[in-house]
Amino acid sequence: MNFIDDVLAGRVTLPMVPDVVIRLLGVMRQDDASLTQIADELALDPVLSSRVLRMANSSFFSGRRSMASISDAVSVVGFKALETLVIASAAQATFAQVPGVNLRQFWLLAVAT
């Protein structure tokens, strides 16, 4: 509870979510978002792009077909899975190190909950 008190009192600064993630989620939540718009935003972040390509090329999504295009990967993975991946990646990157918090224990508890 000490850490939470420190955050609320302003003694601890929490990291911000990367701008690319915010823009990408904004585009994805538009009703008229196109595959090209999403792929263009995603291409601005090499880490996210590689994770989406890795996911799209996994046996769960593509089987034998290998994908190198971000647009193809987004179309195979789908919006919901992509949104989940983007949010999870942002959380992981944002909370890579937080002073006074054992992140391994935090994430284990978060998953268990």
Side-chain angles (χ1 to χ4, degrees), residues 27-93:
V27 169
M28 290 179 68
R29 291 182 177 148
Q30 294 174 1
D31 291 335
D32 60 345
S34 72
L35 187 70
T36 304
Q37 289 173 306
I38 293 170
D40 288 347
E41 285 295 328
L42 187 59
L44 296 175
D45 189 312
V47 174
L48 277 176
S49 298
S50 67
R51 287 181 180 172
V52 171
L53 285 168
R54 191 177 318 130
M55 179 186 277
N57 284 314
S58 71
S59 60
F60 182 80
F61 284 102
S62 70
R64 290 182 242 160
R65 183 176 161 211
S66 179
M67 286 180 225
S69 162
I70 303 253
S71 295
D72 289 345
V74 169
S75 68
V76 167
V77 169
F79 282 179
K80 193 64 181 168
L82 179 61
E83 183 179 43
T84 302
L85 176 68
V86 169
I87 291 170
S89 296
Q92 182 184 18

